[in-house]
Every structure is written in structure tokens, then in C-alpha cells.
Amino acid sequence: MRNAAYYLVFFIFFVVIILPAVVVKSCSDLLPERTGEPEKVDKPGGLMVSLYVTSKNSIEKIPLEEYVKGVVAAEMPAGFKMEALKAQAVAARTYAYKRMRSAGGTGCSLHPEADVCDDPTHCQAWITRGEMLKKWGIFAFYHYYSKISQAVKSTAGMVILYQGKPIDPLFHSTSGGKTENSEDVWGNFIPYLRSVTSPGEETSPRFVAVKQVPVNEVVSKLRQKWPDIVLDPRNPERQWKVVERSEGGRIKKIQIGNRVVNGTEIRELFQLNSTNFRWERVGDNIKFTTVGYGHGVGMSQYGANAMAERGANYVDILKHYYTGVEVKKIEGLK
């Protein structure tokens, strides 16, 4: 019994103290130290990305393919199918390639000295290996990192082109069944960002969401946003009417009292998951029910995973969500 207790204590000590220390140490060794100095390229001709890291308020140079791994880890669930992860890797690489100044790109508009930043509201999210460890935990880290590395390596150098030029590969979590035309969201017609069907997204935890907002808060926010708005403060929802829907089925224009506003404005004002929403009065609240998550333009990540589960490869996925494109390897890019 004493020997059993001893081994049990040793096992717990090993798992709780020793193993995490070893894993963290090994993870910290995976990337060069962040000195701010340019890193050496492992392979001749390999491209480096100038990345503005928001948390450090500094620019770091890392190999393009290492950058892509960090984006895939940050932007897509690592448990997704391999072909979906490959599609995300190619989209991430294309986004960076289009902006890399060394490849003739314009760089990051918010940080002129960088090619891209890690702010997902402006460029693409990106995380370090240490952050991956925290995100996934010790026991899942090596499996997920190996999986993402395989997705990136097997698509090395591949980018998405439209008429020979790299695209803006916009993506989002969940379309709700059909993606959006670019002009229905931002007003600009982009030929490869067309509305397409996106079945099989019901597995997304945000496929349908409900949010209740107190009536007085609804009225207050509407008046703050549009001071000249006229509506019944007791029953404002009775003066709401959908004026126009997008091809993807989302609310493009909606009448609120005496004003007609964009669905995107209402989504932002009440922090809704998407512009595909309906509303109803429930007691002293207005209940919003949304379908989908994100702007809805470009590749749906949950839709991509559903395609992968049905046997589609990453090229099939990319050509489905980006109309009229080609997926091509650029020599010297990896």
C-alpha cells in the first residue's frame, strides 16, 4: 500500500509540476527569442513577414509559413478536418502575400512599417506557440500543432488568385446557410466575393443565438445613435420593418420609426452575431434571434469543415467560396 501511495504521489507530482515545465520549456524553444532583430531564414529565398504584435507594440519578422501556422491556430478550431485547415492556411497565406511589401504589397494601413498586424478586426488573428499551449492545454498541444503544421506544409506556397492577382480572402465563422455578396455588406462589388450556398453549418455553436435587450436600453441606444429618430418608447419594436434583404437572406435595410438604416448598423449597435436576425417583444425586453456569426462574406469556416466532412479537398472548398479563382503555387513563396 505504501508503494502504491508513493507511486501515486510521484505520478501527480510529475503530471502537475514536471511535465508542464518541460512542455513550456520546449514550446518556448520552438520560436526564436523576440529581440526585435530580423530572424534568419531557414530556407534560401524564403519570405519573411513583418508582423505588428499588438500586445508588445512592436514589429517582428518571422518566416511566412510560421506566420501562417499562427493564423490558422488563432482563426480556426484545430479539431476541424484537415482539408478545412488547409483551406484556412491558403487563405491566411494569400492575405499576407497580398500585403507583403517585399512582394509588392502595400503593407498594413494601421502600422506602415509592418506587412500585417495580429488584430483580427483589422488584419488576421495570430498567436505564438506558447499561446497555443495555453489555448489547447498540455495534452492537446502537440496533436493540434502537428496537425496545423501538416496543413501548412502540404499547401506551402499555394495562394488564391483572381485574374492572376492575389485576392482578399475574407472569411467568417458561420454564414447560416448562405454567404453574402460583398456589396450587400460594404457597398463594394468584388467579383470573387459572391453569395453561395453553405450547407451543413448546423454544428456551429453560434448557428442560432438569442439575445434579450431591455426596451429602455433599446430606445436609449437608438436615440443616441440617431438623435432625430421618432418612435414609440413603450413599444418601439412595432415600428420596425424590414425594407430590403440581401441575396444571402440577411437584413440589408430596416425601417426604425421614421428612419431607414442599414442592418449592419443595428448589428453593431446591439452587438448581434449577424444581420440575419428577427425580433419579438418578451415582457420588458426585445428578444433578438440571430442565425450565423460574422459578416457572412467569403469562406464560411463551419461550411468549409462541412464540405471537408463530405469529402471535398481544400481546392474544392476555396473555389466554392471564392468565385472564379484559381489556387496556384507561387515559386519562391515558401
Side-chain angles (χ1 to χ4, degrees), residues 105-266:
T106 57
C108 176
S109 60
L110 285 183
H111 310 284
E113 298 302 316
D115 296 321
V116 291
C117 68
D118 64 356
D119 180 357
T121 65
H122 185 256
C123 290
Q124 301 183 117
W126 174 86
I127 57 177
T128 65
R129 291 174 182 172
E131 289 167 330
M132 295 176 206
L133 174 64
K134 293 178 182 178
K135 178 179 180 179
W136 298 325
I138 295 170
F139 298 105
F141 170 79
Y142 284 108
H143 170 66
Y144 284 153
Y145 184 76
S146 175
K147 187 178 178 182
I148 287 174
S149 295
Q150 181 183 343
V152 174
K153 183 178 180 179
S154 63
T155 63
M158 302 295 287
V159 296
I160 314 164
L161 305 176
Y162 181 81
Q163 295 184 350
K165 296 181 180 180
I167 71 168
D168 264 322
L170 299 180
F171 56 86
H172 57 281
S173 169
T174 311
S175 76
K178 195 173 185 180
T179 67
E180 294 280 80
N181 290 323
S182 60
E183 66 272 20
D184 287 337
V185 179
W186 295 297
N188 297 324
F189 174 86
I190 300 175
Y192 52 80
L193 295 177
R194 301 293 86 206
S195 175
V196 298
T197 58
S198 185
E201 297 181 359
E202 292 80 7
T203 57
S204 170
R206 290 169 168 168
F207 186 76
V208 176
V210 174
K211 182 176 185 178
Q212 296 200 44
V213 183
V215 172
N216 59 352
E217 182 180 333
V218 169
V219 173
S220 175
K221 286 187 174 182
L222 289 171
R223 285 175 171 171
Q224 287 176 11
K225 178 73 174 178
W226 298 286
D228 63 340
I229 198 167
V230 178
L231 74 167
D232 180 358
R234 293 170 299 179
N235 300 287
E237 78 286 352
R238 295 181 182 177
Q239 297 173 293
W240 295 14
K241 181 181 179 182
V242 176
V243 175
E244 182 181 0
R245 289 190 180 274
S246 67
E247 187 172 336
R250 301 185 178 205
I251 295 177
K252 188 174 180 181
K253 297 286 185 181
I254 181 172
Q255 182 167 348
I256 306 287
N258 63 324
R259 294 191 62 102
V260 175
V261 302
N262 295 325
T264 52
E265 294 177 294
I266 297 300

Side-chain angles (χ1 to χ4, degrees), residues 47-49 64 96-107 115:
L47 290 180
M48 305 294 288
V49 175
L64 173 60
Y97 178 58
K98 183 177 176 65
R99 288 159 179 77
M100 290 176 67
R101 291 165 300 162
S102 60
T106 57
D115 296 321

